[in-house]
Amino acid sequence: GAGVSQSPSNKVTEKGKDVELRCDPISGHTALYWYRQSLGQGLEFLIYFQGNSAPDKSGLPSDRFSAERTGGSVSTLTIQRTQQEDSAVYLCASSPGLGALYNSPLHFGNGTRLTVT
Amino acid sequence: GQNIDQPTEMTATEGAIVQINCTYQTSGFNGLFWYQQHAGEAPTFLSYNVLDGLEEKGRFSSFLSRSKGYSYLLLKELQMKDSASYLCAVRPPINQAGTALIFGKGTTLSVSS
């Protein structure tokens, strides 16, 4: 697609429910990143995919968080048993990948605003 | 460790010039990015510096001093639409997280008439 697309744009869920957030990166971008942005905080790195592999999952806040990527394209971030502290904007970004130049920026989607009540 | 510092908020008036500073202490360095983020929108790329000096792009310029761990974003001829958050981000050497950027908390700029 023309840009990074995320859905839903807004999600309100009850504490304890599971949620799935979707990211569709720019066509041809092999690298995909998930970040979390809370009020007054910077972008917190969660996980990175190169193709379908996630070399580093250490940024995920707890084992309630998981992510997968299939076909080297769409990625899903799943949060199980949501807690109020999970409320944040979840941003996805993509870039051409490791073979690209260092000056290749990350291209961000508009994010999913998650509210846990 | 990784640490990126920016002022939390700045205010300026239309037509003025504003300088947003960023200092960083990171384990390795492969360039510094500036992003603009309007409320409720995606961060958008503004500039990239990897060598010392000034990079100019229209009304926006970005400066880097690697020895001082310091960068600034200079905005000239401010317009109301420049009211946004400005994010400083460092690209570390390629590691397990690929080329993921490390972000500061951002500087919220308010431009008034």
Side-chain angles (χ1 to χ4, degrees):
Chain A
V4 178
S5 177
Q6 292 187 247
S7 62
S9 54
N10 279 285
K11 176 72 177 178
V12 180
T13 189
E14 291 180 353
K15 176 181 171 182
K17 301 281 190 183
D18 297 351
V19 295
E20 282 190 355
L21 313 180
R22 175 189 168 104
C23 173
D24 201 341
I26 292 172
S27 178
H29 280 190
T30 60
L32 185 147
Y33 309 82
W34 283 98
Y35 285 84
R36 179 168 72 173
Q37 187 174 35
S38 304
L39 194 63
Q41 301 297 313
L43 273 70
E44 175 190 5
F45 169 72
L46 298 178
I47 191 169
Y48 150 75
F49 286 92
Q50 177 58 42
N52 292 334
S53 300
D56 185 2
K57 301 180 182 179
S58 62
L60 295 176
S62 75
D63 58 8
R64 295 186 295 105
F65 287 71
S66 63
E68 65 175 13
R69 189 180 186 193
T70 55
S73 181
V74 171
S75 175
T76 303
L77 177 69
T78 301
I79 309 173
Q80 296 178 308
R81 305 181 303 281
T82 51
Q83 302 295 314
Q84 288 186 330
E85 61 262 27
D86 300 335
S87 296
V89 176
Y90 289 82
L91 289 163
C92 176
S94 70
S95 73
L98 286 179
L101 298 175
Y102 277 115
N103 64 353
S104 293
L106 272 58
H107 300 266
F108 284 87
N110 283 333
T112 294
R113 181 174 297 278
L114 175 66
T115 303
V116 182
T117 60
Chain B
Q2 322 275 21
N3 192 45
I4 299 175
D5 287 316
Q6 307 177 233
T8 304
E9 295 181 338
M10 297 185 72
T11 59
T13 53
E14 265 188 308
I17 299 173
V18 70
Q19 177 175 312
I20 302 175
N21 296 325
C22 171
T23 57
Y24 62 91
Q25 301 92 37
T26 57
S27 306
F29 177 83
N30 265 325
L32 187 142
F33 292 76
W34 283 96
Y35 279 79
Q36 180 190 61
Q37 185 179 25
H38 285 101
E41 298 183 8
T44 55
F45 168 71
L46 288 177
S47 68
Y48 171 77
N49 295 69
V50 68
L51 300 177
D52 290 351
L54 189 68
E55 296 279 344
E56 297 189 70
K57 271 189 181 182
R59 294 191 299 115
F60 292 7
S61 302
S62 56
F63 172 83
L64 176 68
S65 169
R66 289 171 296 170
S67 62
K68 296 182 179 177
Y70 168 69
S71 173
Y72 67 71
L73 180 69
L74 192 71
L75 292 75
K76 303 175 187 175
E77 301 167 15
L78 280 173
Q79 302 174 11
M80 297 292 284
K81 67 179 182 179
D82 297 329
S83 294
S85 284
Y86 291 86
L87 311 177
C88 173
V90 170
R91 172 164 275 160
I94 289 179
N95 53 21
Q96 291 295 318
T99 53
L101 302 184
I102 303 166
F103 283 85
K105 293 185 178 181
T107 299
T108 300
L109 174 66
S110 299
V111 180
S112 59
S113 56

